[in-house]
Amino acid sequence: MNAPKTFTAKTFRPEDDGPNRPARGLDEDALREQTTVYREDLLAGKTMLITGAGSGMGKAAAFLAAKLGANVAICGRDPEKLQTTVDFVRDAVGSEVLAVPTNIRDPEAVEALIGTVHDHFGGLDTLVNNAGGQFPQDAIDFSRKGWMAVIDTNLNGTWWMMQEAAKRWRADGKPGNIVNIVANVERGMPQAAHTCAARAGVIYLSKTLATEWSQWNIRVNCIGPGVIETEGFRMYPEEALARFHKANPMKMRGNAWDVAEAIAYLASPAARFVNGDLMILDGGQAQWGVIWPAGMPDYFKEDGAA
């Protein structure tokens, strides 16, 4: 009788300083050059809290919000990365950003964060749950620790932020607005099943709360980015990066500014009647192809495969 096959787990966790993993996405010089259709005072007098704002989409969102006149607070686990956003916004816009290092997995830390923002700015208008993380790997090879880390950050951390913000809005009798950055999970996410499960949970949690919390004038919406080029691309092997753009009919990658402008819209008065929605920013990927973030397995490499 033949011995059963053994499989070696494929993992892709390249080091940040690896020679083949240069920084990707919009750097600070490129961010400065971005133009927007929005008027300069669109968010004047409003306060926005953005999680995971030390880089990528969160940093771009913080910059645009400040540029549009908002009071901006940011959080993340890395104080040094947060400081780069603070310094950049100060230099580029001339306004101060409140940075509060926070692990959103810790509900007590989240409670303290929301209190700090309210104390500093006198309130909060829009919460942007952008913090999250995942790694590309076949689901069958997930470790228990890896699975829990992704679920705890992407689902539980987002929930703690939503609940704590809503408690304060209800107690103060003031309206609130939540924007959750999720993913396009309609057709599943091969090699990212952990984040697919978490993001799907956030999407349907958001749809539920959009109804439940409307009695307190709290809106809840999601943005589902497709292939958005950011520093996070360093987590993926070159064979996957080479075909990311081929998974949508526009055959292009989005960038952090695309997401930042979508956030600005949902934070603006123009979105006052938008509630319980999932805004997809993927170039049509949902109707076209599928992403293999760890590289397409040989089994699926057939003529006509996207």
Side-chain angles (χ1 to χ4, degrees):
M1 195 170 180
N2 293 332
K5 273 187 174 182
T6 59
F7 295 90
T8 301
K10 288 201 311 181
T11 59
F12 295 93
R13 301 299 298 272
E15 297 298 325
D16 285 351
D17 59 354
N20 297 320
R21 300 295 185 273
R24 298 176 184 270
L26 300 173
D27 60 19
E28 292 184 356
D29 289 338
L31 277 177
R32 290 174 187 269
E33 296 173 0
Q34 301 304 304
T35 59
T36 181
V37 298
Y38 301 122
R39 69 174 192 266
E40 290 185 357
D41 63 346
L42 179 68
L43 301 178
K46 301 296 183 180
T47 297
M48 183 182 294
L49 168 59
I50 305 167
T51 68
S55 62
M57 296 183 294
K59 187 171 186 174
F63 169 56
L64 180 56
K67 192 172 183 179
L68 300 179
N71 302 315
V72 178
I74 61 175
C75 77
R77 288 187 294 174
D78 188 334
E80 292 184 4
K81 289 176 68 175
L82 293 179
Q83 191 60 45
T84 66
T85 300
V86 171
D87 294 341
F88 171 60
V89 173
R90 180 189 297 124
D91 183 62
V93 182
S95 61
E96 293 296 326
V97 170
L98 173 67
V100 185
T102 306
N103 182 353
I104 63 170
R105 299 182 190 178
D106 181 349
E108 292 184 357
V110 168
E111 181 180 3
L113 166 66
I114 297 297
T116 297
V117 173
H118 276 262
D119 291 344
H120 187 85
F121 291 115
L124 174 64
D125 296 287
T126 296
L127 165 64
V128 180
N129 284 309
N130 168 72
Q134 55 275 326
F135 52 90
Q137 190 177 37
D138 294 337
I140 200 169
D141 297 320
F142 288 161
S143 69
R144 294 171 183 173
K145 182 179 179 181
W147 170 268
M148 289 303 299
V150 173
I151 297 297
D152 206 16
T153 299
N154 295 359
L155 177 57
N156 296 338
T158 298
W159 163 245
W160 298 132
M161 292 293 302
M162 295 172 74
Q163 185 188 41
E164 197 58 44
K167 285 180 180 179
R168 290 297 299 260
W169 285 324
R170 182 181 65 173
D172 294 344
K174 294 182 178 180
N177 180 31
I178 298 173
V179 180
N180 293 321
I181 308 302
V182 289
N184 186 348
V185 301
E186 181 181 353
R187 296 171 59 193
M189 297 177 69
Q191 297 174 334
H194 41 18
T195 199
C196 184
R199 305 300 193 180
V202 172
I203 291 168
Y204 284 92
L205 174 63
S206 299
K207 288 180 176 293
T208 300
L209 301 179
T211 298
E212 193 172 313
W213 292 354
S214 63
Q215 62 185 307
W216 301 302
N217 201 12
I218 299 171
R219 293 186 299 115
V220 186
N221 292 287
C222 295
I223 294 174
V227 175
I228 304 296
E229 187 167 329
T230 70
E231 298 92 325
F233 267 26
R234 290 175 297 181
M235 289 297 297
Y236 305 111
E238 293 301 325
E239 63 174 300
L241 294 176
R243 62 171 300 279
F244 272 6
H245 67 286
K246 297 178 182 179
N248 69 75
M250 297 180 74
K251 295 187 177 181
M252 61 183 286
R253 297 167 175 171
N255 62 38
W257 198 249
D258 296 318
V259 179
E261 292 214 296
I263 292 170
Y265 164 70
L266 289 175
S268 78
R272 71 181 188 90
F273 201 48
V274 181
N275 191 31
D277 190 34
L278 169 59
M279 182 189 298
I280 297 295
L281 307 179
D282 72 348
Q285 177 185 321
Q287 292 73 243
W288 180 262
V290 65
I291 292 292
W292 293 93
M296 182 182 285
D298 290 340
Y299 177 87
F300 295 98
K301 292 178 180 177
E302 300 179 10
D303 292 340

